[in-house]
Amino acid sequence: MTAPASPEERISAALAVLAAAGLPSAEVSVEGHEREIAAVRVPADAWEWMLGGEGTRAAAAIKALGFRYVAVDLLPAAS
């Protein structure tokens, strides 16, 4: 599978990963040099989920989209 090319395509794909995992209200932004960091913002009640096994699998899927890092933004997403 080829990773999406543009940052916008990677954001859309990352949001799809999170929605499929049950986090449709998650937000993703792209940060850093060469836009290589996916900053994921989830509702406060989903932080524990994001730091567990499910979140680890979601982060791996997001990295597979071409991001070098996946970070959890500590400001909660709007629910």
Side-chain angles (χ1 to χ4, degrees):
M1 176 176 98
T2 303
S6 76
E8 293 76 18
E9 291 172 328
R10 290 186 295 150
I11 288 171
S12 293
L15 287 169
V17 165
L18 293 167
L23 293 173
S25 62
E27 300 171 10
V28 175
S29 61
V30 179
E31 311 283 337
H33 176 67
E34 296 188 16
R35 300 175 60 104
E36 65 183 0
I37 302 168
V40 177
R41 183 179 285 178
V42 298
D45 63 355
W47 287 348
E48 186 175 333
W49 180 93
M50 193 65 198
L51 297 175
E54 295 282 333
T56 300
R57 286 186 282 284
I62 293 170
K63 281 185 89 169
L65 298 172
F67 291 104
R68 186 170 180 185
Y69 304 103
V70 177
V72 176
D73 190 328
L74 296 178
L75 295 175
S79 325

